[in-house]
Amino acid sequence: GKIVNGVINGQGKINYPDGTSYDGNLVNNIPNGRGAFKHKDGSIYTGEFTMGSKNTKGYWKHYYYGNDIRYDY
């Protein structure tokens, strides 16, 4: 993506202070379009974002007792 004055537009990755991260399309540093959000517990939401919010086109991956569990969102 393009970074202008510290603002990302296009593909990029943001590591947040709380240990979560986002990797995907950004508009003014906000997840928008296709991407993946990784939570501190290791679970990952992969799918579509609309101005920072997950929408209905995606899935969650959780790791529970060593098993990879997928949920459609």
Side-chain angles (χ1 to χ4, degrees), residues 12-66:
K13 182 171 184 177
I14 296 178
N15 294 310
Y16 298 101
D18 65 358
T20 60
S21 64
Y22 173 80
D23 190 358
N25 196 60
L26 296 151
V27 174
N28 296 326
N29 288 347
I30 298 171
N32 194 60
R34 188 102 180 125
F37 187 88
K38 185 173 183 180
H39 293 265
K40 292 186 285 186
D41 67 1
S43 63
I44 302 170
Y45 169 81
T46 302
E48 296 290 325
F49 290 79
T50 303
M51 295 312 292
S53 297
K54 300 173 211 68
N55 70 28
T56 58
K57 298 175 183 173
Y59 62 90
W60 282 97
K61 283 180 79 175
H62 292 272
Y63 300 97
Y64 184 73
Y65 295 115

